[in-house]
Amino acid sequence: MNFQVTVLKILVSYPDGFAVMADLKRDMAILATSGRDWAERTKRLAARVPELDIFSQGLVERLDGGWRITEKGRAVLEIMETRPVAVPATEQPPIRATDASTPAATPAASPVATGRRKRDQKRRRRDLVAARARAKAS
């Protein structure tokens, strides 16, 4: 498990991006014991930003007994989570001629990708909140 990526993921799940140390430690313990999937995921994300240092790069700041993710930290996390763009093929498919009765082709599916990304973020937050609730109940 990559500690720095995990810290960013935990902090971004809080509404204001701030968590006290007790909450950070609890969430970290939950994720550390959640299985290989989390460890593999954080390794993949960390590989996208090999020189990651959350404090010296100003991605996380220490405040009153806790840590808060900065806007720069949110941006770096977004970069890490963005899927790599596929390399276009060398040969382009032929372009079809359309007439006025044929609807124009829709532009690239960026709204779909944005919606998927937002949905994934909501799911991750929901999963982390559920894990916190289970930990508190224990």
Side-chain angles (χ1 to χ4, degrees):
M1 175 178 69
N2 186 295
F3 170 77
Q4 296 191 55
V5 173
T6 301
V7 168
L8 290 174
K9 294 294 288 175
I10 289 170
L11 292 176
V12 81
S13 72
Y14 282 82
D16 57 354
F18 176 80
V20 294
M21 289 307 296
D23 290 340
L24 275 169
K25 288 178 182 178
R26 183 193 65 237
D27 293 347
M28 189 79 65
I30 291 169
L31 293 171
T33 59
S34 66
R36 286 192 332 188
D37 289 342
W38 181 255
E40 290 170 6
R41 182 172 179 212
T42 57
K43 283 180 188 177
R44 275 193 317 272
L45 292 174
R48 295 181 181 169
V49 184
E51 300 297 320
L52 183 67
D53 187 340
I54 60 176
F55 294 110
S56 69
Q57 293 173 341
L59 308 181
V60 171
E61 57 187 1
R62 296 179 182 116
L63 301 171
D64 305 326
W67 294 348
R68 183 176 72 196
I69 189 169
T70 64
E71 287 304 314
K72 186 176 178 184
R74 290 179 191 273
V76 169
L77 188 59
E78 185 72 23
I79 289 168
M80 283 192 282
E81 292 178 331
T82 303
R83 291 181 183 231
V85 177
V87 178
T90 56
E91 207 174 295
Q92 296 293 328
I95 299 174
R96 278 187 353 192
T98 59
D99 58 28
S101 65
T102 307
T106 57
S110 63
V112 172
T114 302
R116 183 177 304 131
R117 196 167 35 245
K118 287 180 181 179
R119 192 172 51 248
D120 290 346
Q121 286 176 342
K122 286 180 183 179
R123 181 185 45 78
R124 285 191 298 272
R125 285 186 188 129
R126 185 181 59 238
D127 292 347
L128 191 55
V129 167
R132 282 189 202 131
R134 283 192 303 273
K136 283 183 179 180
S138 302

